[in-house]
mmCIF file of all heavy atoms in Angstrom:
data_model
loop_
_atom_site.group_PDB
_atom_site.id
_atom_site.type_symbol
_atom_site.label_atom_id
_atom_site.label_comp_id
_atom_site.label_asym_id
_atom_site.label_seq_id
_atom_site.Cartn_x
_atom_site.Cartn_y
_atom_site.Cartn_z
ATOM 1 N N GLY Z 1 -9.129 -1.134 8.726
ATOM 2 C CA GLY Z 1 -7.728 -1.350 9.070
ATOM 3 C C GLY Z 1 -7.281 -2.771 8.807
ATOM 4 O O GLY Z 1 -6.109 -3.095 8.957
ATOM 5 N N HIS Z 2 -8.220 -3.641 8.406
ATOM 6 C CA HIS Z 2 -7.810 -4.985 7.961
ATOM 7 C C HIS Z 2 -7.376 -4.809 6.514
ATOM 8 O O HIS Z 2 -8.203 -4.672 5.606
ATOM 9 C CB HIS Z 2 -8.945 -5.998 8.069
ATOM 10 C CG HIS Z 2 -8.506 -7.356 7.608
ATOM 11 N ND1 HIS Z 2 -7.873 -8.230 8.448
ATOM 12 C CD2 HIS Z 2 -8.549 -7.938 6.401
ATOM 13 C CE1 HIS Z 2 -7.559 -9.319 7.763
ATOM 14 N NE2 HIS Z 2 -7.956 -9.169 6.518
ATOM 15 N N ILE Z 3 -6.051 -4.780 6.310
ATOM 16 C CA ILE Z 3 -5.473 -4.408 5.027
ATOM 17 C C ILE Z 3 -4.732 -5.585 4.408
ATOM 18 O O ILE Z 3 -4.007 -6.303 5.106
ATOM 19 C CB ILE Z 3 -4.523 -3.210 5.215
ATOM 20 C CG1 ILE Z 3 -5.330 -2.004 5.714
ATOM 21 C CG2 ILE Z 3 -3.778 -2.882 3.937
ATOM 22 C CD1 ILE Z 3 -4.477 -0.852 6.190
ATOM 23 N N LYS Z 4 -4.923 -5.741 3.108
ATOM 24 C CA LYS Z 4 -4.191 -6.771 2.368
ATOM 25 C C LYS Z 4 -3.729 -6.166 1.051
ATOM 26 O O LYS Z 4 -4.520 -5.566 0.328
ATOM 27 C CB LYS Z 4 -5.079 -7.974 2.088
ATOM 28 C CG LYS Z 4 -4.368 -9.035 1.259
ATOM 29 C CD LYS Z 4 -5.242 -10.226 0.954
ATOM 30 C CE LYS Z 4 -4.456 -11.252 0.182
ATOM 31 N NZ LYS Z 4 -5.150 -12.512 0.045
ATOM 32 N N SER Z 5 -2.442 -6.341 0.746
ATOM 33 C CA SER Z 5 -1.921 -5.959 -0.566
ATOM 34 C C SER Z 5 -1.664 -7.234 -1.344
ATOM 35 O O SER Z 5 -1.324 -8.273 -0.768
ATOM 36 C CB SER Z 5 -0.635 -5.149 -0.420
ATOM 37 O OG SER Z 5 -0.928 -3.885 0.131
ATOM 38 N N PHE Z 6 -1.824 -7.157 -2.673
ATOM 39 C CA PHE Z 6 -1.722 -8.359 -3.492
ATOM 40 C C PHE Z 6 -1.335 -7.998 -4.920
ATOM 41 O O PHE Z 6 -1.535 -6.872 -5.374
ATOM 42 C CB PHE Z 6 -3.049 -9.127 -3.489
ATOM 43 C CG PHE Z 6 -4.213 -8.294 -3.953
ATOM 44 C CD1 PHE Z 6 -4.616 -8.308 -5.279
ATOM 45 C CD2 PHE Z 6 -4.892 -7.474 -3.063
ATOM 46 C CE1 PHE Z 6 -5.675 -7.524 -5.713
ATOM 47 C CE2 PHE Z 6 -5.957 -6.683 -3.484
ATOM 48 C CZ PHE Z 6 -6.347 -6.705 -4.817
ATOM 49 N N CYS Z 7 -0.804 -8.989 -5.637
ATOM 50 C CA CYS Z 7 -0.477 -8.850 -7.055
ATOM 51 C C CYS Z 7 -1.768 -8.967 -7.859
ATOM 52 O O CYS Z 7 -2.556 -9.894 -7.643
ATOM 53 C CB CYS Z 7 0.506 -9.947 -7.461
ATOM 54 S SG CYS Z 7 0.786 -10.041 -9.253
ATOM 55 N N ILE Z 8 -1.979 -8.036 -8.792
ATOM 56 C CA ILE Z 8 -3.207 -8.067 -9.595
ATOM 57 C C ILE Z 8 -3.220 -9.208 -10.610
ATOM 58 O O ILE Z 8 -4.273 -9.553 -11.147
ATOM 59 C CB ILE Z 8 -3.456 -6.729 -10.322
ATOM 60 C CG1 ILE Z 8 -2.334 -6.410 -11.306
ATOM 61 C CG2 ILE Z 8 -3.679 -5.617 -9.323
ATOM 62 C CD1 ILE Z 8 -2.624 -5.223 -12.222
ATOM 63 N N HIS Z 9 -2.071 -9.824 -10.864
ATOM 64 C CA HIS Z 9 -2.004 -10.913 -11.843
ATOM 65 C C HIS Z 9 -2.230 -12.286 -11.215
ATOM 66 O O HIS Z 9 -2.956 -13.100 -11.772
ATOM 67 C CB HIS Z 9 -0.658 -10.894 -12.574
ATOM 68 C CG HIS Z 9 -0.419 -9.617 -13.304
ATOM 69 N ND1 HIS Z 9 -1.042 -9.294 -14.483
ATOM 70 C CD2 HIS Z 9 0.357 -8.560 -12.989
ATOM 71 C CE1 HIS Z 9 -0.656 -8.101 -14.882
ATOM 72 N NE2 HIS Z 9 0.197 -7.623 -13.992
ATOM 73 N N CYS Z 10 -1.584 -12.546 -10.070
ATOM 74 C CA CYS Z 10 -1.686 -13.881 -9.483
ATOM 75 C C CYS Z 10 -2.367 -13.906 -8.116
ATOM 76 O O CYS Z 10 -2.651 -14.979 -7.598
ATOM 77 C CB CYS Z 10 -0.302 -14.526 -9.382
ATOM 78 S SG CYS Z 10 0.834 -13.695 -8.256
ATOM 79 N N GLY Z 11 -2.626 -12.743 -7.533
ATOM 80 C CA GLY Z 11 -3.331 -12.682 -6.255
ATOM 81 C C GLY Z 11 -2.472 -12.914 -5.028
ATOM 82 O O GLY Z 11 -2.978 -12.915 -3.912
ATOM 83 N N SER Z 12 -1.170 -13.113 -5.218
ATOM 84 C CA SER Z 12 -0.289 -13.368 -4.072
ATOM 85 C C SER Z 12 -0.308 -12.208 -3.088
ATOM 86 O O SER Z 12 -0.310 -11.042 -3.477
ATOM 87 C CB SER Z 12 1.163 -13.554 -4.546
ATOM 88 O OG SER Z 12 1.284 -14.695 -5.334
ATOM 89 N N ALA Z 13 -0.306 -12.543 -1.801
ATOM 90 C CA ALA Z 13 -0.240 -11.536 -0.742
ATOM 91 C C ALA Z 13 1.137 -10.876 -0.745
ATOM 92 O O ALA Z 13 2.159 -11.537 -0.933
ATOM 93 C CB ALA Z 13 -0.490 -12.192 0.614
ATOM 94 N N LEU Z 14 1.135 -9.560 -0.543
ATOM 95 C CA LEU Z 14 2.367 -8.779 -0.586
ATOM 96 C C LEU Z 14 2.423 -7.813 0.594
ATOM 97 O O LEU Z 14 1.405 -7.540 1.223
ATOM 98 C CB LEU Z 14 2.440 -8.006 -1.910
ATOM 99 C CG LEU Z 14 2.581 -8.878 -3.160
ATOM 100 C CD1 LEU Z 14 2.308 -8.060 -4.414
ATOM 101 C CD2 LEU Z 14 3.967 -9.518 -3.213
ATOM 102 N N PRO Z 15 3.598 -7.270 0.885
ATOM 103 C CA PRO Z 15 3.739 -6.345 2.015
ATOM 104 C C PRO Z 15 2.913 -5.074 1.836
ATOM 105 O O PRO Z 15 2.577 -4.682 0.718
ATOM 106 C CB PRO Z 15 5.233 -5.988 2.008
ATOM 107 C CG PRO Z 15 5.891 -7.046 1.222
ATOM 108 C CD PRO Z 15 4.883 -7.512 0.222
ATOM 109 N N ASN Z 16 2.614 -4.449 2.955
ATOM 110 C CA ASN Z 16 1.932 -3.164 2.934
ATOM 111 C C ASN Z 16 2.307 -2.358 4.165
ATOM 112 O O ASN Z 16 2.778 -2.899 5.153
ATOM 113 C CB ASN Z 16 0.417 -3.343 2.820
ATOM 114 C CG ASN Z 16 -0.169 -4.065 4.007
ATOM 115 O OD1 ASN Z 16 -0.290 -3.509 5.090
ATOM 116 N ND2 ASN Z 16 -0.534 -5.325 3.800
ATOM 117 N N LEU Z 17 2.078 -1.068 4.047
ATOM 118 C CA LEU Z 17 2.307 -0.151 5.162
ATOM 119 C C LEU Z 17 0.970 0.176 5.800
ATOM 120 O O LEU Z 17 -0.012 0.424 5.101
ATOM 121 C CB LEU Z 17 2.988 1.127 4.677
ATOM 122 C CG LEU Z 17 4.434 0.941 4.214
ATOM 123 C CD1 LEU Z 17 4.926 2.197 3.512
ATOM 124 C CD2 LEU Z 17 5.337 0.602 5.392
ATOM 125 N N GLN Z 18 0.946 0.153 7.121
ATOM 126 C CA GLN Z 18 -0.267 0.454 7.871
ATOM 127 C C GLN Z 18 0.024 1.533 8.901
ATOM 128 O O GLN Z 18 1.174 1.918 9.102
ATOM 129 C CB GLN Z 18 -0.791 -0.817 8.546
ATOM 130 C CG GLN Z 18 -1.144 -1.904 7.548
ATOM 131 C CD GLN Z 18 -1.755 -3.140 8.180
ATOM 132 O OE1 GLN Z 18 -2.217 -3.132 9.310
ATOM 133 N NE2 GLN Z 18 -1.759 -4.227 7.426
ATOM 134 N N MET Z 19 -1.021 2.011 9.550
ATOM 135 C CA MET Z 19 -0.907 3.032 10.600
ATOM 136 C C MET Z 19 -0.149 4.253 10.088
ATOM 137 O O MET Z 19 0.850 4.673 10.668
ATOM 138 C CB MET Z 19 -0.254 2.444 11.847
ATOM 139 C CG MET Z 19 -1.031 1.275 12.439
ATOM 140 S SD MET Z 19 -0.170 0.390 13.750
ATOM 141 C CE MET Z 19 0.074 1.688 14.945
ATOM 142 N N ASP Z 20 -0.613 4.775 8.943
ATOM 143 C CA ASP Z 20 -0.001 5.954 8.308
ATOM 144 C C ASP Z 20 1.487 5.767 8.044
ATOM 145 O O ASP Z 20 2.286 6.690 8.201
ATOM 146 C CB ASP Z 20 -0.235 7.214 9.154
ATOM 147 C CG ASP Z 20 -1.698 7.599 9.212
ATOM 148 O OD1 ASP Z 20 -2.394 7.448 8.185
ATOM 149 O OD2 ASP Z 20 -2.149 8.055 10.280
ATOM 150 N N GLY Z 21 1.864 4.552 7.649
ATOM 151 C CA GLY Z 21 3.247 4.263 7.293
ATOM 152 C C GLY Z 21 4.142 3.892 8.457
ATOM 153 O O GLY Z 21 5.331 3.618 8.269
ATOM 154 N N ALA Z 22 3.596 3.843 9.668
ATOM 155 C CA ALA Z 22 4.410 3.544 10.854
ATOM 156 C C ALA Z 22 4.689 2.055 11.023
ATOM 157 O O ALA Z 22 5.606 1.665 11.745
ATOM 158 C CB ALA Z 22 3.737 4.080 12.114
ATOM 159 N N LEU Z 23 3.905 1.197 10.360
ATOM 160 C CA LEU Z 23 4.046 -0.244 10.547
ATOM 161 C C LEU Z 23 4.110 -0.949 9.199
ATOM 162 O O LEU Z 23 3.198 -0.817 8.369
ATOM 163 C CB LEU Z 23 2.859 -0.796 11.345
ATOM 164 C CG LEU Z 23 2.908 -2.270 11.691
ATOM 165 C CD1 LEU Z 23 4.074 -2.566 12.648
ATOM 166 C CD2 LEU Z 23 1.592 -2.712 12.309
ATOM 167 N N LEU Z 24 5.170 -1.700 8.985
ATOM 168 C CA LEU Z 24 5.317 -2.528 7.790
ATOM 169 C C LEU Z 24 4.836 -3.929 8.134
ATOM 170 O O LEU Z 24 5.278 -4.519 9.120
ATOM 171 C CB LEU Z 24 6.777 -2.573 7.341
ATOM 172 C CG LEU Z 24 7.109 -3.521 6.187
ATOM 173 C CD1 LEU Z 24 6.358 -3.131 4.911
ATOM 174 C CD2 LEU Z 24 8.607 -3.563 5.950
ATOM 175 N N VAL Z 25 3.915 -4.445 7.320
ATOM 176 C CA VAL Z 25 3.381 -5.793 7.495
ATOM 177 C C VAL Z 25 3.803 -6.619 6.286
ATOM 178 O O VAL Z 25 3.509 -6.257 5.152
ATOM 179 C CB VAL Z 25 1.842 -5.776 7.636
ATOM 180 C CG1 VAL Z 25 1.307 -7.187 7.819
ATOM 181 C CG2 VAL Z 25 1.421 -4.880 8.793
#
C-alpha cells in the first residue's frame, strides 16, 4: 500500500489513486 506514481522519462512523482480509487494522493 506504499504507492508511488512517477513519469517514466524524468522520474517525477505524480498523483495516484489508492484504496480502490477512494483516495487521491
Side-chain angles (χ1 to χ4, degrees):
H2 180 85
I3 297 169
K4 177 181 182 170
S5 291
F6 57 94
C7 171
I8 62 170
H9 300 285
C10 65
S12 295
L14 294 166
N16 63 74
L17 291 169
Q18 299 184 17
M19 300 171 60
D20 294 322
L23 184 65
L24 174 62
V25 180

